[in-house]
Amino acid sequence: MKTQLHTSLIFTLGVALAIASSVHAQSVPEVLHYRFDGTGTTVPNLASSPPAGTANATIEGGLTQTGADLNFGGGGFSLLGTGVASSTDYLNTGWAPNLGAGSWTISVATSNFTGTSTLYYIFGDANTNSFRCFTNGVAGPNNWILRGAGLTDIFINGAATVAPHRIAFVYDSSLANVKGYLDGVLVTTVAQGAVNFTGTGPLKVMGYGTNVGAPAGGLLDDFRIYNRALSAAEVDAIDKHSITAVTGNSVVILDGDSTPDTADHTDFGGIMTAAGTITRTFTLLNGGNAELLLGTVTITGPDAADFTVTIQPTTPVAIGGETTVAVTFDPSVDALRTATVNIPTSDGVDTVFDFAIQGAGHPIDIFASGFEN
């Protein structure tokens, strides 16, 4: 009977890795989607069907994409306000709105807004029937109001604050109403007649006409426009992310790590061929704010046959929860053996979280000979 050398790794998951898509299949905007995760003045439009001429937006004036990320578990940035009039400082989408009387959804995250005598505009187009969203003035301090384009005023109260909030306006032409959501929760429904979301553009983000877009230090992030009315579940899912985190021996194992290391135990060390096995038990944590789904863990690579998944993880993994996966190394020859662990996840960035592993087969008992792995 083979002897078994069992090494169990206890993982500390105090890190949040890259942000990911929602377990609930976060919807992709069709028209405009800006994340502000790059550098310079060009911001790519991440929408699925960008209108002609909107592949990239341009940051005008003194605005920069250097503010703190407002997305959960982020790692990017946000659009940072200057307090200067949007005749010069604004994000130029290049889009002439053309949604007409059809349904649409607009969602955005903001923070560092205060109640003052100055009106701050987070998006709008004076050339689209005065369509705009602002705070202060008739909106009242700490509230957002959407008006213009034939809309009845829609208020989302308590959202224009120093603390970060996400708002969403959903116009449903079939139901003839506009719904307002604050942090994924429905807070208002307004009966709505015909609208005309059509104009010559360009639609400005963090701006409107010649008005001030945001105070100095005001933040705006993850701006989205859909050409349909999102459901309540889809709105709630916008800022819900599962995050896969893995460490070994209290050392973070990054997705795609191609260099096995004894420090994080992805290097299994050596074992005498045909005389024993080495098992590593890995723990996965969901560091996000939505449950994490996991698929069947597999081993691929040149010497995959020498590694076996002996414990599959349980799924789903609750928010802040963890599960384990065990891999056993049983070398078939006296040589270095390499493979890759593949963990399918609902984390939209790390849809397959993988990392390289290795171990060595030896013709003699290296421990009895005074060697260590």
Side-chain angles (χ1 to χ4, degrees):
M1 178 182 297
K2 291 185 177 181
T3 61
Q4 182 177 36
L5 174 63
H6 183 91
T7 303
S8 179
L9 305 185
I10 305 300
F11 294 11
T12 303
L13 285 304
V15 296
L17 302 182
I19 70 165
S21 292
S22 165
V23 167
H24 304 291
Q26 194 176 132
S27 300
V28 178
E30 295 85 8
V31 183
L32 301 178
H33 187 195
Y34 306 116
R35 289 293 303 275
F36 309 107
D37 291 342
T39 59
T41 59
T42 299
V43 182
N45 183 2
L46 305 176
S48 60
S49 302
T54 68
N56 293 292
T58 303
I59 297 175
E60 306 286 358
L63 299 181
T64 59
Q65 48 183 330
T66 58
D69 198 327
L70 300 185
N71 291 284
F72 181 85
F77 301 95
S78 63
L79 193 61
L80 182 64
T82 60
V84 176
S86 56
S87 53
T88 57
D89 289 23
Y90 64 99
L91 180 77
N92 186 351
T93 68
W95 183 49
N98 61 354
L99 300 183
S103 299
W104 41 261
T105 299
I106 301 176
S107 177
V108 63
T110 62
S111 74
N112 286 355
F113 282 81
T114 56
T116 72
S117 59
T118 301
L119 276 63
Y120 298 126
Y121 290 77
I122 50 174
F123 61 84
D125 179 19
N127 301 313
T128 298
N129 302 303
S130 302
F131 184 78
R132 74 269 196 201
C133 180
F134 62 94
T135 186
N136 297 321
V138 296
N142 306 127
N143 307 323
W144 292 116
I145 184 174
L146 183 68
R147 60 170 29 181
L151 290 167
T152 301
D153 289 347
I154 304 103
F155 291 82
I156 299 183
N157 296 333
T161 65
V162 173
H165 291 291
R166 176 180 293 281
I167 60 172
F169 296 99
V170 179
Y171 170 60
D172 191 321
S173 60
S174 64
L175 297 178
N177 65 30
V178 178
K179 293 182 173 67
Y181 293 83
L182 173 59
D183 298 328
V185 177
L186 178 64
V187 293
T188 186
T189 301
V190 178
Q192 181 59 58
V195 301
N196 185 13
F197 194 6
T198 304
T200 59
L203 181 83
K204 293 182 178 182
V205 174
M206 197 176 269
Y208 170 75
T210 60
N211 300 88
V212 176
L219 303 178
L220 182 151
D221 203 358
D222 201 33
F223 182 83
R224 300 164 176 245
I225 295 185
Y226 301 78
N227 61 9
R228 59 193 179 86
L230 295 192
S231 67
E234 288 176 310
V235 171
D236 182 59
I238 287 176
D239 208 24
K240 296 292 181 66
H241 310 287
S242 53
I243 298 175
T244 308
V246 178
T247 69
N249 198 29
S250 298
V251 179
V252 174
I253 300 173
L254 297 178
D255 180 38
D257 183 2
S258 60
T259 308
D261 194 333
T262 56
D264 61 14
H265 289 201
T266 51
D267 184 340
F268 282 51
I271 190 74
M272 190 166 64
T273 305
T277 62
I278 300 174
T279 298
R280 305 296 197 198
T281 301
F282 301 96
T283 301
L284 291 68
L285 177 111
N286 176 13
N289 62 352
E291 68 179 18
L292 174 68
L293 302 179
L294 299 173
T296 300
V297 179
T298 59
I299 307 293
T300 58
D303 307 308
D306 286 3
F307 298 87
T308 304
V309 179
T310 48
I311 297 178
Q312 287 285 347
T314 57
T315 187
V317 182
I319 299 168
E322 61 181 43
T323 186
T324 59
V325 56
V327 178
T328 297
F329 175 49
D330 186 3
S332 59
V333 298
D334 301 333
L336 182 68
R337 314 301 282 163
T338 63
T340 299
V341 177
N342 307 283
I343 308 170
T345 82
S346 58
D347 179 330
V349 173
D350 303 319
T351 51
V352 178
F353 191 105
D354 58 15
F355 55 90
I357 55 175
Q358 70 180 30
H362 294 286
I364 60 173
D365 187 341
I366 59 174
F367 301 104
S369 302
F371 295 97
E372 296 184 7
N373 56 2

